Coordinates of all heavy atoms in Angstrom, one line a residue:
A211 N -2.0 -5.9 -3.8 CA -1.0 -6.8 -4.1 C -0.7 -6.7 -5.6 O -1.5 -6.2 -6.4 CB -1.5 -8.2 -3.8
D212 N 0.5 -7.2 -6.0 CA 0.9 -7.1 -7.4 C 0.8 -8.5 -8.0 O 0.5 -9.5 -7.3 CB 2.3 -6.5 -7.6 CG 3.4 -7.3 -6.9 OD1 3.2 -8.5 -6.7 OD2 4.5 -6.7 -6.6
S213 N 1.1 -8.6 -9.3 CA 1.0 -9.9 -10.0 C 2.1 -10.9 -9.5 O 1.9 -12.1 -9.8 CB 1.2 -9.7 -11.5 OG 2.4 -9.1 -11.8
N214 N 3.1 -10.5 -8.8 CA 4.1 -11.4 -8.3 C 3.8 -11.9 -6.9 O 4.5 -12.6 -6.3 CB 5.5 -10.7 -8.3 CG 6.0 -10.5 -9.7 OD1 5.8 -11.3 -10.6 ND2 6.6 -9.3 -9.9
G215 N 2.6 -11.5 -6.3 CA 2.2 -12.0 -5.0 C 2.7 -11.2 -3.9 O 2.6 -11.6 -2.7
N216 N 3.3 -10.0 -4.1 CA 3.7 -9.1 -3.0 C 2.6 -8.3 -2.5 O 1.7 -7.8 -3.3 CB 4.8 -8.2 -3.5 CG 6.0 -8.9 -4.1 OD1 6.7 -9.7 -3.3 ND2 6.3 -8.8 -5.3
L217 N 2.5 -8.0 -1.2 CA 1.5 -7.2 -0.6 C 2.1 -5.8 -0.2 O 3.4 -5.7 0.0 CB 1.0 -7.8 0.8 CG 0.1 -9.0 0.7 CD1 0.7 -10.2 0.1 CD2 -0.4 -9.4 2.1
Y218 N 1.3 -4.8 -0.2 CA 1.8 -3.5 0.1 C 0.9 -2.8 1.2 O -0.3 -2.9 1.1 CB 1.7 -2.6 -1.2 CG 2.7 -3.1 -2.2 CD1 2.2 -4.1 -3.2 CD2 4.0 -2.7 -2.3 CE1 3.1 -4.6 -4.1 CE2 4.9 -3.2 -3.3 CZ 4.4 -4.1 -4.2 OH 5.3 -4.6 -5.1
V219 N 1.6 -2.3 2.2 CA 0.9 -1.7 3.4 C 1.6 -0.4 3.7 O 2.8 -0.2 3.4 CB 0.9 -2.6 4.6 CG1 0.2 -4.0 4.3 CG2 2.3 -2.9 5.1
T220 N 0.8 0.5 4.4 CA 1.4 1.7 4.9 C 1.2 1.7 6.4 O 0.2 1.2 6.9 CB 0.8 2.9 4.3 OG1 -0.7 2.9 4.4 CG2 1.2 3.1 2.8
T221 N 2.1 2.3 7.2 CA 2.0 2.3 8.6 C 2.0 3.8 9.1 O 2.6 4.6 8.4 CB 3.2 1.6 9.3 OG1 4.4 2.1 8.9 CG2 3.1 0.1 8.9
G222 N 1.4 4.0 10.3 CA 1.3 5.3 10.8 C 1.8 5.4 12.2 O 1.2 4.8 13.1
T223 N 2.9 6.1 12.5 CA 3.5 6.3 13.8 C 4.0 5.0 14.4 O 3.6 3.9 14.1 CB 2.5 7.0 14.8 OG1 1.5 6.1 15.2 CG2 1.9 8.3 14.2
G224 N 4.9 5.2 15.4 CA 5.5 4.0 16.1 C 7.0 4.0 16.0 O 7.6 4.8 15.4
S225 N 7.5 2.9 16.5 CA 9.0 2.7 16.4 C 9.4 2.4 15.0 O 8.7 1.7 14.2 CB 9.4 1.6 17.4 OG 8.7 0.4 17.2
F226 N 10.6 2.8 14.7 CA 11.2 2.7 13.4 C 12.5 1.8 13.4 O 13.3 2.0 14.4 CB 11.5 4.0 12.8 CG 12.2 4.0 11.5 CD1 11.5 3.7 10.3 CD2 13.6 4.2 11.4 CE1 12.2 3.7 9.1 CE2 14.2 4.2 10.1 CZ 13.5 3.9 9.0
D227 N 12.6 0.9 12.5 CA 13.8 0.1 12.3 C 14.4 0.4 11.0 O 13.8 0.2 9.9 CB 13.4 -1.4 12.5 CG 14.6 -2.3 12.4 OD1 15.6 -2.1 11.6 OD2 14.6 -3.3 13.2
A228 N 15.7 0.8 10.9 CA 16.3 1.2 9.7 C 16.5 0.1 8.7 O 16.8 0.3 7.5 CB 17.7 1.8 10.0
T229 N 16.3 -1.2 9.1 CA 16.5 -2.3 8.2 C 15.1 -2.8 7.6 O 15.1 -3.4 6.5 CB 17.1 -3.5 9.0 OG1 16.2 -4.0 10.0 CG2 18.4 -3.1 9.5
I230 N 14.0 -2.5 8.3 CA 12.7 -3.0 7.7 C 11.6 -1.9 7.7 O 10.5 -2.1 7.2 CB 12.2 -4.2 8.5 CG1 11.9 -3.8 10.0 CG2 13.1 -5.4 8.4 CD1 11.2 -4.9 10.8
G231 N 11.9 -0.7 8.3 CA 10.9 0.3 8.3 C 10.1 0.3 9.6 O 10.6 0.2 10.7
G232 N 8.8 0.5 9.4 CA 7.9 0.7 10.6 C 7.8 2.2 10.8 O 8.1 3.0 9.9
G233 N 7.2 2.6 12.0 CA 7.0 4.0 12.2 C 6.0 4.5 11.1 O 4.9 4.1 11.0
I234 N 6.5 5.4 10.3 CA 5.8 6.0 9.2 C 6.5 5.4 7.9 O 7.5 5.9 7.5 CB 5.8 7.5 9.2 CG1 5.1 8.0 10.4 CG2 5.2 8.0 7.9 CD1 5.1 9.5 10.6
S235 N 5.9 4.4 7.3 CA 6.5 3.7 6.1 C 5.5 3.2 5.1 O 4.3 3.0 5.4 CB 7.4 2.6 6.6 OG 8.5 3.0 7.4
F236 N 6.0 3.0 3.9 CA 5.3 2.3 2.8 C 6.1 1.1 2.6 O 7.3 1.1 2.3 CB 5.3 3.2 1.6 CG 4.4 2.7 0.5 CD1 3.3 3.5 0.0 CD2 4.6 1.5 -0.1 CE1 2.5 3.0 -1.0 CE2 3.8 1.0 -1.1 CZ 2.7 1.8 -1.6
A237 N 5.5 -0.1 2.8 CA 6.3 -1.3 2.8 C 5.8 -2.4 1.8 O 4.6 -2.5 1.6 CB 6.3 -1.9 4.2
K238 N 6.7 -3.2 1.3 CA 6.5 -4.3 0.5 C 6.7 -5.6 1.3 O 7.7 -5.8 1.9 CB 7.4 -4.3 -0.7 CG 7.3 -5.5 -1.6 CD 8.3 -5.3 -2.8 CE 8.4 -6.5 -3.7 NZ 9.4 -6.3 -4.8
L239 N 5.6 -6.4 1.4 CA 5.7 -7.7 2.1 C 5.6 -8.8 1.1 O 4.7 -8.9 0.3 CB 4.5 -7.8 3.1 CG 4.3 -6.6 4.1 CD1 3.1 -6.9 5.0 CD2 5.6 -6.3 4.9
T240 N 6.5 -9.8 1.3 CA 6.6 -10.9 0.3 C 6.4 -12.2 1.1 O 7.1 -12.4 2.1 CB 8.0 -10.9 -0.4 OG1 8.2 -9.6 -1.0 CG2 8.1 -12.0 -1.4
P241 N 5.5 -13.0 0.6 CA 5.3 -14.4 1.2 C 6.6 -15.1 1.2 O 7.3 -15.1 0.2 CB 4.3 -15.0 0.3 CG 3.5 -13.9 -0.3 CD 4.5 -12.8 -0.5
N242 N 7.0 -15.7 2.3 CA 8.3 -16.4 2.4 C 8.3 -17.9 2.2 O 9.3 -18.5 2.3 CB 8.9 -16.1 3.8 CG 8.0 -16.6 5.0 OD1 7.2 -17.5 4.8 ND2 8.1 -16.0 6.1
G243 N 7.2 -18.4 1.7 CA 7.1 -19.8 1.3 C 6.8 -20.7 2.5 O 6.5 -21.9 2.3
S244 N 6.8 -20.2 3.7 CA 6.4 -21.1 4.9 C 5.2 -20.5 5.5 O 4.9 -20.8 6.7 CB 7.6 -21.1 5.9 OG 7.9 -19.8 6.3

């Protein structure tokens, strides 16, 4: 995680969505307040 509270994950194989990634991706996840 970074100092702004974002999490970072990598994924391996699977279905891919052009708007959020998935499949094989490096992703930034941000807490949404809820």
Side-chain angles (χ1 to χ4, degrees):
D212 63 23
S213 58
N214 292 321
N216 300 298
L217 286 63
Y218 296 88
V219 299
T220 52
T221 60
T223 71
S225 54
F226 175 78
D227 184 321
T229 61
I230 61 171
I234 297 174
S235 295
F236 190 121
K238 175 182 177 181
L239 307 180
T240 301
N242 58 23
S244 61

